[in-house]
């Protein structure tokens, strides 16, 4: 017996299809823009080869995007008459970089597939490809995000944990986004690459006791008590351009650059996990990759929400 299709059936079918379209998918662009992944990968490999630090910068850009309003590319927006963007937030000003790389990728992707690939998806893919380019693990990036039409300076100032954070601060900030303490330790391993400005670690190298004295002295040469705020030092001075587990070995030797790094070894709630990642690097790689997938799933705009920005720095 064939039942008649009613308006209720159409409504339920619409809701069902809407739910499907709102899910991120590994194969989202397989028909829409089949060359997007290799195009982004080529650009990232070139950018990281030109400047290894860029890999860490692009990874950080994705993190600072997702922790504010979710993974919606709000971090890329310039100020407008109706809102102040996130670029001037305390954790971002004179610190976030890689916007030019994202813009270059977006330009190429727009020529390839106009009005199809979001800036938020480009950020997520670029973060993964940057880690891989520096020897780190890979992971499948679910895609289908759309871009926000606004940004939140206040949320950027309140939601992003800083380099002076204690474990409780980190745990609280990440818990609000659904992450466990184990995932905090794993994601902190991103500090195995990249560089930081003197202003973010000056207090540690002059005023803290849980730091190797020779390590502190070596850093002081390029980070005076006053001035030189933007002078750089590698977050991992041992293998600064390789994504590995040496970051955790440095913590064991009191050579964490940030206060927020070193406390992971000093605090009883996280010390065992640090030690575990030293002895089992494959566990770190696996946990980091899984946590990054989770990061990329933070409150994405999908379906008919948001837009596909033509230029990542401004709304259409």
């Amino acid at each position: 017996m064939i039942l008649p299709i009613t308006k209720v059936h159409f409504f339920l079918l619409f809701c069902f299809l809407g739910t499907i379209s709102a899910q991120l998918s590994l194969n989202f662009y397989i028909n829409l823009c089949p060359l997007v992944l290799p195009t982004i990968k080529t650009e990232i490999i070139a950018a990281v080869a030109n400047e290894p630090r860029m890999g860490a910068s692009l990874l950080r850009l994705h993190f600072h995007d997702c922790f504010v309003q979710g993974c919606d590319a709000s971090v890329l927006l310039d100020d407008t008459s109706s809102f102040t963007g996130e670029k001037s937030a305390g954790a971002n000003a004179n610190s976030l970089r890689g916007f030019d790389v994202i813009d270059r990728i977006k330009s190429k992707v727009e020529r390839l597939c106009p009005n199809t690939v979001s800036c938020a998806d480009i950020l997520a893919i670029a973060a993964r490809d940057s880690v891989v380019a520096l020897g780190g693990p890979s992971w499948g990036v679910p895609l289908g995000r759309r871009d926000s039409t606004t940004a939140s300076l206040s949320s950027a100032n309140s939601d992003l944990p800083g380099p002076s954070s204690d474990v409780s601060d980190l745990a609280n900030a990440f818990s609000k986004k659904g992450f466990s303490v184990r995932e905090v330790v794993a994601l902190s391993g991103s500090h195995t690459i990249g560089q930081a400005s003197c202003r973010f670690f000056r207090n540690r190298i002059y005023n803290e006791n849980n730091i190797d004295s020779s390590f502190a002295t070596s850093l002081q040469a390029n980070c005076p008590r006053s001035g030189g705020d933007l002078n750089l030092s590698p977050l991992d001075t041992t293998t600064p351009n390789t994504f590995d587990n040496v970051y955790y070995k440095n913590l064991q030797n009191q050579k964490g650059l940030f206060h927020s790094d070193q406390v992971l070894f000093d605090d009883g709630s996280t010390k065992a996990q640090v030690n575990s990642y030293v002895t089992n690097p494959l566990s770190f790689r696996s946990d980091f990759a899984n946590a990054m997938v989770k990061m990329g799933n933070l409150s994405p705009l999908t379906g008919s929400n948001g837009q596909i920005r033509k230029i990542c720095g401004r709304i259409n």
Side-chain angles (χ1 to χ4, degrees):
M1 179 179 179
I2 300 176
L3 297 175
I5 297 178
T6 67
K7 292 182 179 180
V8 173
H9 290 125
F10 274 118
F11 175 75
L12 293 174
L13 179 61
F14 174 79
C15 292
F16 176 70
L17 293 175
T19 301
I20 292 176
S21 66
Q23 302 302 312
L24 300 182
S25 166
L26 292 173
N27 298 318
F28 187 82
Y29 294 112
I30 195 166
N31 294 316
L32 293 172
C33 190
L35 295 180
V36 64
L37 293 179
T39 298
I40 294 175
K41 182 178 181 179
T42 297
E43 290 298 315
I44 294 301
I45 290 174
V48 173
N50 180 62
E51 183 195 7
R53 181 190 175 202
M54 186 54 69
S57 297
L58 292 170
L59 174 60
R60 185 168 181 254
L61 201 56
H62 177 50
F63 162 51
H64 281 225
D65 177 40
C66 292
F67 250 55
V68 181
Q69 296 189 169
C71 305
D72 61 359
S74 61
V75 73
L76 302 178
L77 287 172
D78 295 322
D79 297 349
T80 71
S81 58
S82 59
F83 65 81
T84 301
E86 298 161 19
K87 293 181 179 180
S88 58
N92 295 340
N94 298 314
S95 177
L96 277 189
R97 5 179 5 258
F99 299 106
D100 55 333
V101 176
I102 297 300
D103 287 343
R104 186 163 61 247
I105 291 172
K106 177 61 173 175
S107 178
K108 291 199 171 187
V109 170
E110 276 298 304
R111 290 197 296 270
L112 191 68
C113 310
N115 306 314
T116 302
V117 181
S118 68
C119 300
D121 275 349
I122 290 174
L123 281 176
I125 299 166
R128 187 271 312 277
D129 289 353
S130 293
V131 170
V132 173
L134 293 170
S138 185
W139 59 90
V141 180
L143 300 167
R145 300 168 190 79
R146 290 170 65 85
D147 301 324
S148 68
T149 55
T150 187
S152 177
L153 176 62
S154 60
S155 294
N157 278 322
S158 64
D159 291 7
L160 292 166
S164 61
S165 299
D166 288 321
V167 169
S168 59
D169 301 320
L170 295 171
N172 288 335
F174 278 83
S175 176
K176 290 176 182 177
K177 309 296 180 181
F179 290 93
S180 67
V181 173
R182 180 186 178 99
E183 289 168 328
V184 171
V185 179
L187 289 170
S188 295
S190 62
H191 288 178
T192 184
I193 54 175
Q195 301 183 49
S197 300
C198 165
R199 61 191 170 118
F200 291 133
F201 59 85
R202 175 183 284 119
N203 183 67
R204 168 157 167 74
I205 64 176
Y206 286 103
N207 299 317
E208 296 189 2
N209 296 319
N210 59 341
I211 186 170
D212 178 84
S213 58
S214 61
F215 177 65
T217 300
S218 68
L219 292 169
Q220 290 168 5
N222 193 45
C223 183
R225 289 184 181 272
S226 62
D229 283 3
L230 300 182
N231 291 352
L232 298 171
S233 178
L235 286 155
D236 169 6
T237 56
T238 308
T239 56
N241 296 324
T242 303
F243 196 100
D244 54 26
N245 70 329
V246 173
Y247 163 81
Y248 299 105
K249 297 179 182 179
N250 292 339
L251 301 187
Q252 290 179 325
N253 295 316
Q254 294 192 315
K255 293 183 178 180
L257 186 65
F258 290 160
H259 177 86
S260 59
D261 292 321
Q262 192 58 52
V263 293
L264 296 176
F265 183 71
D266 298 340
D267 192 287
S269 67
T270 49
K271 183 174 183 176
Q273 195 57 52
V274 170
N275 291 334
S276 173
Y277 288 153
V278 170
T279 58
N280 190 348
L282 292 180
S283 174
F284 161 55
R285 292 171 69 90
S286 175
D287 284 358
F288 182 85
N290 290 333
M292 285 302 299
V293 173
K294 189 171 179 177
M295 176 80 70
N297 286 337
L298 287 177
S299 305
L301 297 173
T302 58
S304 60
N305 295 317
Q307 62 180 214
I308 305 296
R309 286 190 223 134
K310 297 178 181 178
I311 297 174
C312 288
R314 64 173 186 254
I315 60 176
N316 298 338

